[in-house]
Amino acid sequence: MLDFTSALYLGMRHQSHALRPWKSFTGGVPAALRESRPGITVARSMADLQGSEDAVLAPSTLHLFWDLFGLIGHDDTIIYMDEGVYPIARWGVERAAAKGAVVRGFRHYNTDSLTEIVRTTSHRRKRPLIVSDGFCPSCGRPVPLSDYLSIAEAFGGYLLLDDTQALGILGHSPSRNNPYGIGGGGILRWSNVIHNPRLLVVSSMAKAFGAPVAVLSGSKAMVSHFRERSKIRVHCSPPSNAIIHAAEHALALNKNFGDRMRQNLLRLVRRFRHLMARAGFLPKGGVFPVQTLSRSESLDPVVLHERLLSHGIQTVLHQGDASKRALISLLMNARHGLPDIDYLVNALIEMTRVNKLEVSYEIRT
Ligand SMILES: Cc1ncc(COP(=O)(O)O)c(C=O)c1O
């Protein structure tokens, strides 16, 4: 089966024999009481990689968002939430709203919409907290980081990003030839906006880096504020030693081979888009390894998904956009080969052609 459903974009697997062994899965104490040395080292390396002063690990982004939105001042904060934000940050915002915080939505990656809503709703005694994803795989666009930050700064507030998708793919010094950039540090590096005291970033390492653990990174002051007040660090188990060793392994792989893996990935995505364009199709996603077929291209996505499956090709059938209608996305990773992409595109073209013939046959009879 050709699998286009996995978000392990760099193809990192971390098989057990590749990892440093561990003496126990967990120490049985919460992070507030004792943090493992390797965990602290991984967090520091992540801060360096991402362009932040400090970082701390947590079991998942769900833990982090739940915790963070319980810690903000609910009476003196207005939350401005980008409408395209991933559900987990949204669930955190709902927690803050339940505690009394005011929440306003604004149009996805639309600086004018954010400016307008902040201007008309800002309050002398309330600090804005802007919440957004660092990169949107559905539309293939990065967050307008400098714009969002300038607005946060102008009104004395903060920007909280979920950078799960960009981590490991985007990095510093992007160019026309190398749109991903170098190093895989994520959206801050890619946008050359680093060490900003108004910026807080939550990222899962479970996608490009293949290690299911989350990182909160930001200024020293904000990370230590979180460390001191965090509820999950008191009441939940910390990330397991096995996962921390996988994260350590991911960082070593990224350092030694990451740029080569990203180049390989870029070649695959470009090949896919080139062949699709030649056949008259324009998938969404830009050069990001998540490519979404537009509805007109895929005809009936449910039928197409079934047909691809019967040809041994797994894709993601989902309710992707605001209309909640079915869409098909294809997730590529550095372990795919060019022949896999060719096979996929040929199958897509063939099925679309057959579909069109069927439609015209139905009309004729
Ligand atoms: C933007 C974003 N945030 C958070 C998550 C959740 O990460 P995890 O799977 O590690 O819980 C995902 C998963 O796809 C994601 O895309």
Side-chain angles (χ1 to χ4, degrees):
M1 188 63 88
L2 249 185
D3 184 2
F4 289 98
T5 64
S6 169
L8 298 181
Y9 303 129
L10 296 183
M12 290 193 188
R13 286 185 186 154
H14 314 307
Q15 286 166 299
S16 52
H17 64 77
L19 304 186
R20 275 196 315 117
W22 45 89
K23 291 203 178 101
S24 63
F25 251 72
T26 183
V29 291
L33 213 55
R34 192 166 64 240
E35 251 176 292
S36 81
R37 275 271 129 224
I40 294 172
T41 309
V42 166
R44 285 207 185 117
S45 306
M46 280 299 298
D48 282 349
L49 181 69
Q50 292 184 285
S52 296
E53 275 179 3
D54 202 1
V56 62
L57 299 185
S60 72
T61 59
L62 177 59
H63 285 80
L64 281 175
F65 280 122
W66 182 89
D67 215 4
L68 282 168
F69 282 105
L71 294 178
I72 63 168
H74 301 102
D75 297 332
D76 58 10
T77 304
I78 302 189
I79 298 173
Y80 295 99
M81 183 171 70
D82 185 299
E83 282 169 357
V85 85
Y86 195 74
I88 299 180
R90 196 180 291 272
W91 300 338
V93 170
E94 284 167 6
R95 178 168 190 232
K99 284 172 166 270
V102 176
V103 181
R104 298 275 180 263
F106 63 94
R107 288 207 304 281
H108 183 41
Y109 287 176
N110 188 314
T111 304
D112 290 342
S113 169
L114 174 60
T115 309
E116 177 63 14
I117 191 128
V118 174
R119 207 177 46 77
T120 51
T121 58
S122 72
H123 189 284
R124 206 165 24 90
R125 286 197 303 274
K126 288 191 193 276
R127 247 187 335 230
L129 174 63
I130 303 166
V131 183
S132 172
D133 287 352
F135 187 88
C136 173
S138 305
C139 60
R141 286 185 297 161
V143 63
L145 184 54
S146 310
D147 291 349
Y148 281 17
L149 255 183
S150 307
I151 296 168
E153 273 162 9
F155 289 86
Y158 294 90
L159 173 59
L160 172 60
L161 290 181
D162 179 341
D163 203 29
T164 298
Q165 289 290 333
L167 179 66
I169 302 295
L170 303 185
H172 67 86
S173 319
S175 63
R176 213 179 150 77
N177 271 344
N178 183 12
Y180 293 162
I182 300 163
I187 197 67
L188 308 196
R189 290 284 182 194
W190 191 84
S191 314
N192 198 19
V193 174
I194 55 173
H195 293 184
N196 188 300
R198 299 203 171 265
L199 200 44
L200 204 53
V201 182
V202 168
S203 323
S204 164
M205 294 178 74
K207 314 299 164 193
F209 287 157
V213 60
V215 187
L216 173 70
S217 57
S219 67
K220 271 196 175 8
M222 284 208 282
V223 172
S224 72
H225 183 89
F226 173 81
R227 267 207 181 89
E228 283 155 20
R229 292 167 180 75
S230 158
K231 295 281 187 276
I232 60 156
R233 285 170 58 82
V234 174
H235 298 294
C236 303
S237 287
S240 74
N241 290 327
I243 289 176
I244 287 172
H245 288 197
E248 193 181 78
H249 189 242
L251 289 172
L253 286 180
N254 183 52
K255 192 169 172 191
N256 295 323
F257 311 108
D259 288 324
R260 219 180 306 154
M261 292 165 166
R262 282 181 280 275
Q263 278 306 310
N264 195 18
L265 185 60
L266 180 63
R267 206 171 305 126
L268 297 167
V269 178
R270 282 189 157 156
R271 170 90 170 183
F272 174 76
R273 292 186 66 82
H274 169 73
L275 294 178
M276 289 292 279
R278 222 169 55 180
F281 299 128
L282 197 64
K284 278 192 190 160
V287 289
F288 201 74
V290 178
Q291 298 287 307
T292 302
L293 304 180
S294 72
R295 288 189 55 82
S296 58
E297 291 165 7
S298 58
L299 300 175
D300 182 347
V302 179
V303 174
L304 183 58
H305 179 257
E306 283 302 313
R307 287 196 183 162
L308 286 167
L309 264 185
S310 68
H311 277 68
I313 301 173
Q314 268 182 318
T315 58
V316 182
L317 178 67
H318 60 108
Q319 291 183 320
D321 55 12
S323 70
K324 296 274 178 255
R325 291 185 306 177
L327 285 173
I328 288 186
S329 292
L330 309 145
L331 278 65
M332 289 162 201
N333 70 70
R335 285 181 188 264
H336 285 131
L338 292 176
D340 299 335
I341 301 298
D342 294 359
Y343 183 76
L344 167 68
V345 175
N346 284 336
L348 282 170
I349 293 171
E350 179 63 18
M351 281 166 206
T352 310
R353 196 176 60 79
V354 169
N355 242 351
K356 277 185 181 146
L357 286 179
E358 275 179 5
V359 171
S360 56
Y361 175 74
E362 280 166 16
I363 292 168
R364 260 189 269 123
T365 52

